[in-house]
Amino acid sequence: MGLIMSPPTPASARPRVMGIVNVTPDSFSDGGRHATFEAALALARRLIAEGADILDVGGESTRPGAEPVPADVEAARVVPVIAAIRAESAIPLSVDTMKPQVARAAAAAGASMWNDVTALAHAADSLATAAELGCDVVLMHMRGDPRSMQHAPVYGDVAAEVAEALAARAQSAMAAGVARERIWLDPGVGFGKHRTRHNLPLIAHLDRLVALGFPVLLGVSRKSFIGALDPAGAGPRERLGGSIAAALAGAAAGVAALRVHDVRETVQALSVWRAIEAAR
Ligand code: HH2
């Protein structure tokens, strides 16, 4: 599997920046596929130049209400992009998929991390596949699935319940043979959580998740809770300020990596944050 990510030490280093590369075409024609490949590769090159530490390549949208994509279609989207980036860069690559077949193909093409929004619960062979591949795995918390997850989720203490559920998934992964040092946890901001009532306390209490002792990945970039807090209800592309504010809250809590669309701006914000911390 090649490159393995090891978490930075919170006191001395900033979180790693994971740049998002979506390969989700609207058109299934050959022309559309080719254009999508070229666009994804161009984006990957730009994010590397902007200072990304890792890239997360995904071929299926997980937005609320999104329709599932067959495994062969998803693999045909992400594998050529992963192989092309790997051919020209040593940057660690992650594949954002819930399907073991896609993770396996991505690993063969050069990915060293499997980012699974279902925490290896989507397929019967997810856990065994992760153990066999020996790659890093991101176990993300979600209630329900992308089609149903925003239907009135209910929590008592959301931060405690998410930490408990992820600790249990980590135990299951280790029982299936995934090495402890390969496991990352992600609170799944926006996945089966009320925009403000759940996402905000979850971010505010990230230290509880960090305290479990696994590296934590946080994805807040352009998410809808930011639009909910914006006086004008900003759309996804108008949420950079809020994305950075939430990313810095994660940095202060000791997360190991941030999944972001805007790499350059996030790297700059983290550099300033770390410099101020160092001057204390
Ligand atoms: N969020 C999205 C997708 N994958 N993976 C992890 N580990 N954590 C996240 O928070 C996370 C994720 C959101 O997906 P989507 O809405 O499809 O858009 P995008 O991939 O552009 O963020």
Side-chain angles (χ1 to χ4, degrees):
M1 287 292 294
L3 295 153
I4 298 294
M5 296 280 292
S6 56
T9 50
S12 63
R14 65 163 175 78
R16 309 281 180 92
V17 173
M18 172 190 267
I20 300 168
V21 178
N22 284 323
V23 200
T24 44
D26 298 314
S27 156
F28 289 91
S29 73
D30 280 334
R33 264 210 298 275
H34 185 68
T36 305
F37 169 83
E38 292 297 333
L41 187 57
L43 175 62
R45 288 179 178 141
R46 176 161 71 80
L47 298 184
I48 292 170
E50 290 181 355
D53 300 297
I54 177 168
L55 296 180
D56 188 38
V57 181
E60 178 180 47
S61 176
T62 51
R63 289 204 170 77
E67 284 300 319
V69 174
D72 55 337
V73 173
E74 192 183 335
R77 291 177 182 175
V78 298
V79 167
V81 174
I82 288 169
I85 303 168
R86 177 52 68 246
E88 60 185 64
S89 168
I91 189 167
L93 296 172
S94 160
V95 62
D96 187 352
T97 185
M98 57 180 85
K99 300 188 189 77
Q101 308 94 295
V102 177
R104 192 181 288 281
S112 57
M113 176 183 263
W114 178 0
N115 173 24
D116 186 351
V117 299
T118 75
L120 301 177
H122 175 70
D125 58 340
S126 292
L127 287 166
T129 303
E132 182 199 322
L133 293 176
C135 56
D136 282 15
V137 292
V138 179
L139 305 177
M140 198 200 78
H141 181 272
M142 168 163 57
R143 276 269 171 93
D145 62 46
R147 271 182 295 185
S148 66
M149 66 187 179
Q150 291 307 114
H151 297 167
V154 175
Y155 298 87
D157 179 339
V158 64
E161 288 171 39
V162 166
E164 197 180 318
L166 286 176
R169 282 315 288 165
Q171 286 303 327
S172 300
M174 289 187 283
V178 177
R180 190 184 201 289
E181 58 274 19
R182 295 284 164 257
I183 297 175
W184 293 61
L185 304 180
D186 184 324
V189 169
F191 286 84
K193 283 105 187 167
H194 181 273
R195 289 208 294 180
T196 50
R197 262 201 324 277
H198 297 145
N199 288 319
L200 297 178
L202 195 53
I203 297 168
H205 298 292
L206 273 171
D207 54 319
R208 294 196 203 160
L209 197 55
V210 171
L212 293 179
F214 297 91
V216 171
L217 171 67
L218 179 68
V220 287
S221 186
R222 301 184 184 176
K223 289 206 169 156
S224 66
F225 77 93
I226 299 167
L229 294 170
D230 184 280
R237 288 177 183 278
E238 303 162 338
R239 296 174 185 164
L240 177 57
S243 299
I244 287 178
L248 293 181
V255 304
L258 295 159
R259 182 181 180 278
V260 308
H261 300 88
D262 302 288
V263 167
R264 203 183 100 77
E265 293 82 356
T266 307
V267 167
Q268 185 185 71
L270 289 170
S271 299
V272 171
W273 170 78
R274 187 172 54 164
I276 292 169
E277 289 298 306
R280 272 184 203 282

